[in-house]
Amino acid sequence: MSHAFLEIEGLSKRYLAANHGEGLTVFEHINFGIEKGEFVCVIGHSGCGKSTILNVLAGLDDASDGVVIMNGKEVAGPSLDRGVIFQNYSLLPWLSAMKNVAFGVQARWPTWSKDKLHEHSLKYLDLVGLKDAAHRKPSELSGGMRQRVSIARAFATQPQLLLMDEPFGALDALTRGVIQEELIKIWSESKQTVFMITHDVDEAILLSDRVLLMTNGPYARIAESVKISIPRPRNRNSIIHDPGYYKIRNHLVDFLVSRSKELSGAAGEEVRETTFVDPAIEDDDPLETDKALAKTGS
Amino acid sequence: MLKSLNTRAALLSVGLLMLTLGVWEVSVQVPEKKEAMSEYEMLMGGADQEARVPPPSDIISLALEELGDPFYDAGPNDKGIGIQLGYSIYRVIAGFLAAAAIAIPIGFVVGMSPLMYKALNPFIQVLRPISPLAWMPLALFVIKDSEASAIFVIFICSIWPMLINTAFGVANVRMDWVNVARTHELSPMRTALTVILPAAAPTILTGMRISIGIAWLVIVAAEMLVGGTGIGYYVWNEWNNLDLASVIFSILMIGLVGMLLDLMLSAASRFVQYQE
Ligand SMILES: Nc1ncnc2c1ncn2[C@@H]1O[C@H](COP(=O)(O)OP(=O)(O)OP(=O)(O)O)[C@@H](O)[C@H]1O
Ligand SMILES: [Mg+2]
């Protein structure tokens, strides 16, 4: 048994029946690991339980079964070691951008002097290009700027694991592209371990080392772990010229379109292993999909 | 455009005031021919000017006189309007602050804990609809002091809006913000002070504003009951003296002070207001 930095073992989430209806098993037998410094994205259809997994990792929600182990210790409850970036930014609207970042920094290092606090917070605001908007309240910032503040807040606290739930879901494509590039920049400097949920296949390819593919719920599971072998540094323009790009992209899209449904689990089923795939080094076999199916079907 | 709207509104206000005062002034003039006295008028000592509503001009001249020396004190039944209002304001503020000191912490607990909410809700629901004046006899009996009883009545009537608004504001703080506090490992106390309090502050301030409005309504009635000092007692005393000009003057002063109290809290609530 390997010991990854973060290990998720046998995670499941069940909701009990509200009024003598049937209960709901959102997902079952979720097993995966994340290495230190790895950037992992999760893709799956709406409602399969991605946010639930993320909230369990954050310690904000409890799983029905299974454990999350980080650095050899079981995760119980929220902690500053696991920073969270929410889809709706979750900035405190009565604080300025600067104070929102400082809020996190002060929670992390309560003994720091005011000057040090200020300096550190400003450094991270500067990293996301918001030094000049430091004094503005969130309501005076655009959606993209708000998400940048929340990224600055999360990175400023230097958590061991960063959790992001569709951080760019509410942004327009242009803004998203810009912030993705900023995220790559900050991430490559800090080598933070990141677990991120996204709906956007291109975003996943651009950002991650590995993409976890979740089948549809209920009884959702992680069917595949797809390696993104495109070398870094990556950027949106050059990445599409990489020979592996379209193979990876087709593999992911194909999963979302057909396999996510075909591979979805059912009640009382035996545990099925996650398949590890690297689409870029596979040959251009048109039956690639079937092979993947055959592998998992055993 | 906005400026001209404001000016136009101000002009219209002044116009309406003038019109009202003018109609009032004219309509209360003594008629030429003497009518037969009604039974009531005979009882009241004849249908002379005193039995009529005084014209605005009388009230204005009285107001100038009273406001020229608002703090004179010539014995228990003859004090300046400033002194009387001062007593009332003091009672309202004392009762209101005592209520805030209790209602806001309890509201916090009720808002944060579903258990406390369920446990305290029946008491709140029963106690809240009781007219504050209904407490007066009990207060007088227990406290044995009319001054303190009046303050107690203000206390009891201000407590509910603040308690309920605080509980509501605290219970409805966005889960996202609470989660921010949780992921930053804030202690419950720090969470309450740095996240929940600022988030709920506008709602709490609204409750305080409602409370002080009710307190100002109730103090007049309370002082009419207990007597001695205060603007409520003053109104009642002037009515007993059949000094209607003074009655109308003090009614206006009650309105003005009430408005000032409300303005103070609305300024405070602008201070804690935030935009999502
Ligand atoms: N309190 C609840 N009671 C019953 N079912 C719930 C409850 N909360 C969530 N669910 C179910 O859990 C499932 C997973 O929800 P989750 O928010 O994790 O999905 P998601 O994959 O993040 O979806 P999306 O991509 O739309 O954000 C959903 O099908 C939802 O219906
Ligand atoms: Mg979600």
Side-chain angles (χ1 to χ4, degrees), chain B residues 175-193:
Chain B
M175 206 50 211
D176 296 336
W177 301 336
V178 179
N179 281 342
V180 168
R182 289 178 64 198
T183 53
H184 285 89
E185 287 186 62
L186 295 197
S187 67
M189 196 61 196
R190 270 194 81 82
T191 305
L193 289 180

Side-chain angles (χ1 to χ4, degrees), chain B residues 20 61 74 95 121:
Chain B
T20 316
S61 62
N121 197 34

Side-chain angles (χ1 to χ4, degrees), chain B residues 12-167:
Chain B
L12 190 58
S13 293
V14 172
L16 282 172
L17 180 69
M18 288 305 178
L19 184 73
T20 316
L21 292 182
V23 170
W24 178 2
E25 182 83 39
V26 171
S27 63
V28 295
Q29 291 305 324
V30 191
E32 291 300 306
K33 73 175 176 66
K34 277 258 175 195
E35 290 164 359
M37 284 187 200
S38 72
E39 215 169 319
Y40 178 71
E41 281 165 340
M42 283 193 282
L43 266 175
M44 300 303 287
D48 51 16
Q49 280 94 323
E50 266 79 24
R52 312 194 128 262
V53 175
S57 50
D58 284 10
I59 295 162
I60 291 169
S61 62
L62 175 85
L64 290 177
E65 188 188 318
E66 284 280 355
L67 293 175
D69 183 14
F71 297 110
Y72 74 89
D73 188 351
N77 277 334
D78 192 9
K79 294 191 200 315
I81 186 88
I83 293 189
Q84 303 288 22
L85 282 171
Y87 276 116
S88 302
I89 292 172
Y90 157 69
R91 285 168 193 152
V92 162
I93 301 231
F96 174 80
L97 289 182
I102 288 184
I104 293 175
I106 293 185
F108 245 84
V109 172
V110 171
M112 285 175 97
S113 146
L115 173 73
M116 290 303 279
Y117 174 82
K118 278 196 192 293
L120 289 182
N121 197 34
F123 297 101
I124 297 174
Q125 294 309 331
V126 169
L127 292 176
R128 192 176 59 125
I130 298 172
S131 162
L133 294 174
W135 292 96
M136 189 60 102
L138 189 62
L140 285 169
F141 176 75
V142 175
I143 307 176
K144 297 188 173 62
D145 175 61
S146 64
E147 173 81 28
S149 300
I151 293 177
F152 174 77
V153 166
I154 294 306
F155 165 81
I156 206 86
C157 77
S158 335
I159 210 164
W160 309 116
M162 285 195 273
L163 180 66
I164 288 164
N165 266 48
T166 305

Side-chain angles (χ1 to χ4, degrees), chain A residues 24 57 101 126 131 163 201 215 230 256 277 283:
Chain A
L24 172 71
L57 296 189
V101 178
D126 196 20
K131 204 174 186 171
L163 303 162
V201 169
T215 65
I230 302 173
L256 287 179
V277 212
D283 50 9

Side-chain angles (χ1 to χ4, degrees), chain A residues 83-238:
Chain A
V84 191
I85 295 180
F86 300 93
Q87 177 172 3
N88 46 17
Y89 327 132
S90 294
L91 299 175
L92 303 176
W94 54 90
L95 297 179
S96 65
M98 175 70 199
K99 293 232 171 89
N100 263 292
V101 178
F103 178 91
V105 179
Q106 197 186 13
R108 179 83 188 184
W109 296 283
T111 54
W112 277 14
S113 73
K114 262 211 159 69
D115 287 343
K116 192 159 184 201
L117 210 69
H118 187 84
E119 191 191 325
H120 186 86
S121 311
L122 204 60
K123 182 180 134 199
Y124 279 87
L125 268 185
D126 196 20
L127 273 179
V128 294
L130 280 182
K131 204 174 186 171
D132 296 329
H135 60 278
R136 288 208 241 158
K137 298 262 170 75
S139 59
E140 299 158 343
L141 300 172
S142 70
M145 291 160 103
R146 289 184 209 182
Q147 192 56 292
R148 285 193 182 115
V149 176
S150 118
I151 290 172
R153 179 176 66 189
F155 275 90
T157 54
Q158 298 173 353
Q160 296 189 34
L161 172 67
L162 201 57
L163 303 162
M164 298 192 244
D165 192 348
E166 297 184 43
F168 311 127
L171 304 178
D172 64 278
L174 272 177
T175 316
R176 194 185 310 170
V178 175
I179 303 189
Q180 281 166 357
E181 233 126 77
E182 267 167 14
L183 181 66
I184 294 180
K185 199 181 79 192
I186 307 187
W187 175 77
S188 52
E189 278 170 27
S190 63
K191 277 291 165 193
Q192 208 73 255
T193 312
V194 180
F195 178 84
M196 171 168 150
I197 296 173
T198 176
H199 269 127
D200 183 341
V201 169
D202 294 305
E203 180 172 275
I205 300 175
L206 175 67
L207 297 174
S208 49
D209 298 316
R210 208 144 53 82
V211 178
L212 301 176
L213 296 174
M214 256 180 111
T215 65
N216 295 356
Y219 301 99
R221 59 194 198 89
I222 292 185
E224 294 181 24
S225 162
V226 180
K227 188 169 169 25
I228 310 294
S229 48
I230 302 173
R232 295 180 190 270
R234 305 172 187 160
N235 70 58
R236 273 177 306 149
N237 300 324
S238 64

Side-chain angles (χ1 to χ4, degrees), chain A residues 15 24 26 44-53 165-166 197 199:
Chain A
Y15 286 104
L24 172 71
V26 182
H45 280 280
S46 183
C48 67
K50 305 180 295 294
S51 297
T52 312
I53 292 182
D165 192 348
E166 297 184 43
I197 296 173
H199 269 127

